[in-house]
Amino acid sequence: MDLLTVNDRQGEYPNSYYADVAETLAPFPKAQGALECDVCVVGAGFTGLSAAYHLAQRGYDVVVLDAQRVGFGASGRNGGQVSMGQRVEQDGLEKMVGEAHAHQLWDIGAQAVDLVRSLTKTPEVRTEFHDGVIHTVHRERYQAHNAEYVEHMSSKYGYDKIRLLDKDECHHLVNSPAYYGGTLDMGAGHVDPFELVLGLARLAVDAGARIFEQSKVVAVKEGDPATVVTDNATITARYVVLGCNGYLGNMHKHVAERVMPINNFIVSTKPLGREAQEEIIRNNYAVADSKFVINYFRFSDDHRLLFGGTESYGYKFPADIAGAVRKPMAEIFPQLKDVEVDHAWGGTLGITMNRMPHYERISGNILSLSGFSGAGVAMGTLSGQIAAEAIAGQAERFDVMAKVPTKAFPGGPMLRTPLLVLAMLWFSLRDKL
């Protein structure tokens, strides 16, 4: 099953709010014939375009290939939340890799947020960084861990931008009966992700990178130089960066065994107005809850609620995405059960067994960075910068990320679909208990 076309039309953006309101870029040409470059980047999302931009800034001749359009994949469809640290909380990382390594990973995660903040201040990136993400808990028993975690982050990491919310304050900020408290992290925030990825494309082109759309890679041949093959072109490159995340397919078996594509879905309501927005979520914070099948939501700049969630049993999108997402939205916000929805879309992201990004050197001159597990706005963008550093001979941050062990999914790519069904059924049941 080709995830690039099974749910979408070739060369067209999805029916998302983001694509509807953005000033999209003029189409880039298809790659044709024999091309040569220093670095060939596969994937024009956060990672690929960030890599292209930072490499071109360093003077490398860069070619970017995308099977669809710039920002077509998860980079242009996601919830826009920019979380601090890594996808796994620091106490969990300490158990996974030890305290010293966990501190290095925290620093890298914080640098990812700093990079996104700085990019939004450039004229090419036409979105504002809005401060504040609330992490709510849907079970009262989880609140004790929140208190411990806030203290842990203060005492061990010197991080003072996160604080505990009791049930009353949480309800004041998020007008929902579904939650028992949470945390407010003012170091995190949210952006329009499609505008971020379009801005990265502008920056990359201005720096000298060449972007080619509708140029699907059918083979990456190892060697020095490496060869990247599309239907209509052959690109010879000293280095290759794979920034495909959930759309990697079987381009590289070892990576595909460790990064599973999974679908998620978002709706946007009609504009509700500033006053109604404040009655639902105060202070323009973004929100993500504690369910494994996570609900996440925020407001757009024109006061629409963007609500993401619901599980996917397989890779084909449901026929009625709006209906599927309305159910959890009405559970969280009963006052919005009849609100008009004007956009509904799905997308494919890449997850790993441990929910940490998978970094891998393939034959030395081919780098793969993927598996951001829902934290790709920050970490995907930074990963492109880290890939550029590694190619330039400064691999410290790449090696810190690559040292995190990433196990293969049982059964490899062939069993990912049935395993996905079983896993989502199990975690959906667990969320209800």
Side-chain angles (χ1 to χ4, degrees), residues 295 349 398:
N295 295 306
L349 61 149
F398 186 96

Side-chain angles (χ1 to χ4, degrees), residues 89 133-150 162-171 174 176-184 287-292 294-295 297 332 431 433:
E89 291 185 337
V133 174
I134 297 173
H135 294 97
T136 58
V137 292
H138 73 291
R139 294 289 180 262
E140 191 169 11
R141 63 182 181 269
Y142 296 163
Q143 186 69 341
H145 174 261
N146 274 340
E148 294 170 358
Y149 190 70
V150 168
I162 186 172
R163 67 179 180 86
L164 191 68
L165 302 176
D166 62 23
K167 184 176 181 179
D168 288 343
E169 187 177 10
C170 184
H171 186 263
V174 183
S176 168
Y179 300 126
Y180 294 85
T183 59
L184 170 60
V287 184
D289 69 21
S290 58
K291 290 187 174 184
F292 185 89
I294 189 172
N295 295 306
F297 38 93
I332 303 303
D431 283 341
L433 297 177

Side-chain angles (χ1 to χ4, degrees), residues 48-127:
L49 291 171
S50 177
Y53 167 51
H54 289 101
L55 283 162
Q57 276 193 317
R58 291 173 177 265
Y60 287 86
D61 179 19
V62 184
V63 164
V64 181
L65 304 173
D66 197 275
Q68 288 270 16
R69 300 288 311 277
V70 163
F72 165 88
S75 297
R77 308 184 188 212
N78 67 82
Q81 299 201 13
V82 187
S83 299
M84 278 294 296
Q86 302 287 342
R87 176 65 174 81
V88 179
E89 291 185 337
Q90 288 307 119
D91 50 359
L93 279 179
E94 289 167 13
K95 295 175 183 176
M96 184 188 300
V97 300
E99 288 194 16
H101 194 180
H103 273 80
Q104 292 176 313
L105 293 168
W106 169 260
D107 290 342
I108 287 174
Q111 291 158 10
V113 176
D114 289 342
L115 176 60
V116 173
R117 281 182 187 274
S118 67
L119 288 168
T120 62
K121 294 176 182 177
T122 67
E124 292 84 359
V125 179
R126 300 167 186 173
T127 180

Side-chain angles (χ1 to χ4, degrees), residues 5-63:
T5 54
V6 68
N7 297 300
D8 297 285
R9 294 180 179 179
Q10 182 64 38
E12 295 183 15
Y13 288 113
N15 176 38
S16 72
Y17 161 75
Y18 303 131
D20 192 30
V21 301
E23 182 182 345
T24 56
L25 304 177
F28 291 95
K30 294 181 181 180
Q32 303 279 350
L35 302 172
E36 294 183 0
C37 60
D38 295 325
V39 187
C40 181
V41 176
V42 183
F46 292 139
T47 302
L49 291 171
S50 177
Y53 167 51
H54 289 101
L55 283 162
Q57 276 193 317
R58 291 173 177 265
Y60 287 86
D61 179 19
V62 184
V63 164

Side-chain angles (χ1 to χ4, degrees), residues 378-390:
M379 278 306 303
T381 304
L382 185 73
S383 291
Q385 186 184 64
I386 290 175
E389 291 175 355

Side-chain angles (χ1 to χ4, degrees), residues 91-328:
D91 50 359
L93 279 179
E94 289 167 13
K95 295 175 183 176
M96 184 188 300
V97 300
E99 288 194 16
H101 194 180
H103 273 80
Q104 292 176 313
L105 293 168
W106 169 260
D107 290 342
I108 287 174
Q111 291 158 10
V113 176
D114 289 342
L115 176 60
V116 173
R117 281 182 187 274
S118 67
L119 288 168
T120 62
K121 294 176 182 177
T122 67
E124 292 84 359
V125 179
R126 300 167 186 173
T127 180
E128 184 178 348
F129 191 105
H130 301 286
D131 295 326
V133 174
I134 297 173
H135 294 97
T136 58
V137 292
H138 73 291
R139 294 289 180 262
E140 191 169 11
R141 63 182 181 269
Y142 296 163
Q143 186 69 341
H145 174 261
N146 274 340
E148 294 170 358
Y149 190 70
V150 168
E151 195 283 327
H152 184 83
M153 293 306 298
S154 175
S155 62
K156 282 201 168 185
Y157 291 84
Y159 186 62
D160 60 2
K161 294 182 180 180
I162 186 172
R163 67 179 180 86
L164 191 68
L165 302 176
D166 62 23
K167 184 176 181 179
D168 288 343
E169 187 177 10
C170 184
H171 186 263
H172 173 72
L173 294 174
V174 183
N175 189 9
S176 168
Y179 300 126
Y180 294 85
T183 59
L184 170 60
D185 189 345
M186 291 302 293
H190 60 97
V191 298
D192 181 318
F194 192 47
E195 288 290 4
L196 175 59
V197 77
L198 293 178
L200 282 167
R202 296 185 189 100
L203 288 166
V205 169
D206 289 349
R210 293 175 283 165
I211 297 176
F212 297 95
E213 294 181 323
Q214 299 194 58
S215 301
K216 182 179 179 180
V217 172
V218 296
V220 177
K221 299 178 181 179
E222 299 176 11
D224 189 10
T227 305
V228 181
V229 182
T230 75
D231 289 336
N232 298 297
T234 301
I235 300 91
T236 303
R238 292 167 53 206
Y239 300 94
V240 175
V241 176
L242 301 180
C244 309
N245 207 33
Y247 292 91
L248 177 76
N250 292 318
M251 192 183 304
H252 194 276
K253 182 176 182 293
H254 192 264
V255 177
E257 289 173 344
R258 287 157 176 78
V259 179
M260 178 190 287
I262 186 172
N263 295 333
N264 209 259
F265 309 97
I266 304 179
V267 299
S268 69
T269 69
K270 69 177 183 180
L272 302 179
R274 190 181 303 276
E275 291 185 7
Q277 174 177 333
E278 280 292 301
E279 285 297 313
I280 297 166
I281 304 172
R282 295 188 185 276
N283 303 330
N284 198 24
Y285 297 142
V287 184
D289 69 21
S290 58
K291 290 187 174 184
F292 185 89
V293 183
I294 189 172
N295 295 306
Y296 53 95
F297 38 93
R298 66 183 185 90
F299 274 90
S300 65
D301 290 343
D302 61 355
H303 313 296
R304 302 168 189 263
L305 180 65
L306 307 177
F307 190 100
T310 200
E311 59 268 23
S312 171
Y313 303 107
Y315 294 123
K316 183 72 176 173
F317 292 172
D320 182 11
I321 294 175
V325 181
R326 269 188 178 279
K327 183 177 179 182

